[in-house]
Amino acid sequence: MGNRGMEDLIPLINKLQDAFSSIGQSCNLDLPQIAVVGGQSAGKSSVLENFVGRDFLPRGSGIVTRRPLILQLVNSNVEYAEFLHCKGRKFVDFDEVRLEIEAETDRITGSNKGISPVPINLRVYSPHVLNLTLIDLPGMTKVAVGDQPQDIEHQIRDMLLQFITKESCLILAVTPANTDLANSDALKISKEVDPQGLRTIGVITKLDLMDEGTDARDILENKLLPLRRGYIGVVNRSQKDIDGKKDIRAALAAERKFFLSHPGYRHIAERMGTPHLQKSLNQQLTNHIRDTLPGLRSKLQSQLLSLEKEVEEFKNFRPDDPTRKTKALLQMVQQFGVDFEKCIEGSGDQVDTSNLSGGAKINRIFHERFPFELVKMEFDEKELRKEISYAIKNIHGVRTGLFTPDLAFEAIVKKQIIKLKEPCVKCIDLVIQELINTVRQCTNKLGSYPRLREETERIVTTYIRERDSKTKDQVLLLIDIELSYINTNHEDFIGFVIRRGWLTINISIMKGGSKDYWFVLTAESLSWYKDEEEKEKKYMLPLDNLKLRDVEKGFMSSKHGFGIFNTEQRNVYKDLRQIELACDTQDDVDSWKASFLRAGVYPEKDQDTITPGDTVSMDPQLERQVETIRNLVDSYIGIVNKSIRDLMPKTIMHLMINSAKDFIHSELLAYLYSAGDQGSLMEESAEQAQRRDEMLRMYHALKEALVIIGDISATTVSTPVPPPVDDAWLNSNLMHCFSILNKKQPFCCHSVRRPPAAPNRPTVIRPSEPSLLD
C-alpha cells in the first residue's frame, strides 16, 4: 500500500480538520480532500455506504443531503462512528447515525428542505474501510420543491464551488450510466474548475440498469470523454434491495459477479467495483497529499507561527500548581494597568483606525466639546441690554447718574459667570463616561476569569464615581473663586480704556495747522496727549452727545479721516463745532470707528444700532452707559472663559484620570484580595478552559504534522499524474450530442458514436499500470 508514513498522513489530515472545526475557525490550510459531486439520485450515497458496508445515510426523494458531510473513514479493529458535535459518544448502531445526521441537518437548515454550507463531521472506524476522507455534497437540482427558495439551484452550485475550486480538492464526479454522459452535471461543473482534468475522477453508477445490448465500455476504457484519472464503474443496490434491507456485503459480491460475467466488462473487471474504487481513492488521495506537501508545509508553518504567541501562556499550564492563581492574578492586574494607561496616554500598539476612544476622545472633550459648550452660551443681546439698563437705574435710585456705575458691571458679570457651572459639570460627566468605557474595554482581556473581570470593573468604576463628586466640587470651587473677586486690573481686561494710538487733528493754518497727538479713548471721554508717555494732557472731551460722521479727503492730503461733532450744536474743541481726525489708512479709520462704537459713540445716520426696545430708554446717556458695560462684560467674560478652559482639563486630569491610574497601579490588587476568596476570583470560565485545550491540541497537531511531513518528504518517491489524453475531438462529439437532443431523440451514454482511432491516445489501461492508482 506504500510506506507507513504515507498511511499515517490521511489520519493526520483528519486530525487537523477536527482541530480547526472544534475551535470554530475556518480551515485556512485548504487540506487535501475528495469532494463527491453529482446530480440528485446519481447514487452518491450508495457509493459511500458501500465503502462503509453499512446503511447510515438519509434517503428519500428530492434533496436528501442538505449540508456537506465530511466523512472520515479510519481503518480500525473495531467498528463504530463518532460525530464532531457529539464528542465522546460512540455510535454502534448505524441507524442511530442516520437519525443523528437528519436531526443535525434540521437543527441548522430547518425541515423545509433548505440547505446550509456548515458541514457535519462524521468519522467511521471499521476493519472494512481504508483510510479515506470524502465530502458528500448536496445533489445538483434544477427545480425548487416545497418551501425551498427559488434560487436553490444557484445556492447548491455556489456551495459546491466553495469546495471544488480549491486546488487541494480532488473531485469525485458521479454520473449514472443510464443518463446522457455528455450532459452530466457532475462532469460539467468539474470541467469549469478543472479544465485540464488534473483533479477529476469519474465514477459511473447504475451500469446494471442500462438497456439490453448496450454497455459503457468506451467510457470505462477512457476512450469517450476521457479524464486523466480515468473512470471506475460500480453497481449499487437497487431501491428494491435497499427497501428489502439487502446486506451490503452480498451486494458487493453481486457487483463482483456482474463485472466478471458481463462480456463488455470482464476484461477490466479487476479495475471495476466498489473495493477497487475505495482502494484507488485511498491511493490517489494519499499521492495527492504527497504532491501538495510543499505548499501544505508552508501553510502549516505559517499557522504555527500565528498560534505561537497565543499558546505561549498555555504551554506550561498546570492546574494543580498552588501558585498559578496568584501569578495569574498579579499578571492580569498588571496587564490591566498597562492597558488602561496605554488607552489614556496613547500607544502605537493596536491602533484603532475607525473610532476615537480613551485618551483621544477625552482630549476631544477637553479641546473641542467643552469650548463648544461655552460658545453655545450666547447672550440674548436684547435681554442682556435690558438687564444692564435695569441694573444701572436700580443702582442710581432716585438720583440721576452722571457716571457709569461699577456695581452694575459686577452684577452682570457675576450672573454670566454662574452660567459656566452647567457646561463644566457636563464636561466632567462626559469624561467619566469615557473613562468607564475605557475600563470596560480593558477588562475584556480578563474574560478568561469572569469573576475577576466583574470585580475589577466594579472596583475601578466605583472609584471613578467617587472621584466624580470630588472633581465637581473642585470645579465649582473654581467658579466660586471667580465670583469672589472681579479683577478689573487684569492685563487683558480693556477696563475703561478702550483704545490708544496716534491720530492727526486737521485744523486750518490760521488756527495752528494739523498736528499729531497721542489719543486715549475710554468709556467716558476722549483725551489726547503730546506723546505716548501720557504726561502732558492737551485736552479731554466727554463723550456725552457725541456722534461720528464721514469727511471728504483733503485735496493736498494723503490721509483718511472722520469727524466728531456734538448733537446739541455745542463746540467740541475750542471754537470748533466739529473736529476732524485723520489716519494713514482707511483700515485705521474703520478700526477707530469700531472702538468709538464700543464706547457708545455712533455714526450720525446709524438710527438702527440701538432701538428704544433694546434698553427700554430713549436717554442717550443711559444708552452710552449700557454700551460701555456691555463691552466691559464681553471683555471680562472672555478672560474668565479662557481661564476656565485652561483649568478644567488640568483639574480633571489631576483629580480623576491620574488618580484613577495611581489607584489601579497601587491599590487595585489590595481591593481585589479583600473582595473575596482568591480561588473563586480566579476561577476559569468553561469556555476558556475548552479554548485552551483545543488550541493546545491544534498546536501540537500542527507540530506533529510538520514532523511527519518532514519524514515523508525524505522517504517517499513521487508518482507522476497520468499523461494528458487527446480530447481535441470532444467539441465535435458534444455538438453531435446536442443535435440529437434538439431532434428529441433518446440519447444515453452508450449511444454516443466512438471517436476515430488515434495512435497516440492510450487504449485500455492494464491493472499493472499505475495511472488509475495515482
Side-chain angles (χ1 to χ4, degrees), residues 302-330:
S302 174
Q303 193 75 12
L304 189 66
L305 286 174
S306 67
L307 281 177
E308 192 79 42
K309 187 175 181 181
E310 293 184 64
V311 173
E312 186 66 34
E313 58 180 302
F314 300 142
K315 281 184 179 178
N316 302 317
F317 181 82
R318 290 184 298 161
D320 56 342
D321 184 358
T323 62
R324 180 184 65 82
K325 291 186 177 181
T326 302
K327 290 178 181 177
L329 178 60
L330 288 172

Side-chain angles (χ1 to χ4, degrees), residues 441-587:
Q441 177 185 337
C442 293
T443 54
N444 284 339
K445 292 187 178 180
L446 308 181
S448 306
Y449 305 95
R451 180 80 197 286
L452 174 62
R453 174 182 177 176
E454 179 184 330
E455 284 298 313
T456 301
E457 187 174 323
R458 181 187 64 80
I459 291 170
V460 178
T461 301
T462 301
Y463 179 80
I464 289 174
R465 295 203 180 279
E466 288 175 358
R467 301 305 298 177
D468 169 31
S469 59
K470 294 183 179 179
T471 306
K472 285 179 179 176
D473 289 344
Q474 182 62 34
V475 169
L476 294 178
L477 178 61
L478 290 177
I479 304 295
D480 291 339
I481 290 172
E482 291 288 349
L483 289 169
S484 66
Y485 180 67
I486 307 301
N487 181 19
T488 55
N489 287 325
H490 193 283
E491 60 182 6
D492 293 332
F493 182 55
I494 62 170
F496 289 95
V497 176
I498 297 175
R499 180 162 188 161
R500 291 181 170 88
W502 290 98
L503 286 173
T504 301
I505 297 181
N506 288 330
I507 303 176
S508 65
I509 298 176
M510 298 295 294
K511 296 183 179 181
S514 299
K515 290 186 179 180
D516 293 336
Y517 293 100
W518 178 259
F519 279 77
V520 176
L521 176 64
T522 70
E524 302 287 343
S525 64
L526 176 66
S527 304
W528 53 92
Y529 300 83
K530 180 181 178 182
D531 52 38
E532 55 262 63
E533 292 184 2
E534 299 181 13
K535 292 182 179 180
E536 186 179 340
K537 181 184 290 187
K538 294 297 183 179
Y539 193 76
M540 185 183 77
L541 175 64
L543 299 183
D544 295 336
N545 302 318
L546 293 185
K547 282 199 178 282
L548 304 177
R549 65 165 51 129
D550 294 330
V551 295
E552 294 184 1
K553 185 177 179 182
F555 177 73
M556 298 296 294
S557 174
S558 62
K559 293 193 174 186
H560 303 264
F562 60 95
I564 299 176
F565 68 97
N566 191 296
T567 56
E568 296 181 351
Q569 302 300 315
R570 296 179 182 176
N571 291 341
V572 176
Y573 175 55
K574 296 183 179 179
D575 59 348
L576 299 175
R577 295 290 178 90
Q578 172 179 301
I579 59 171
E580 295 182 8
L581 303 178
C583 308
D584 291 334
T585 65
Q586 184 61 43
D587 288 342

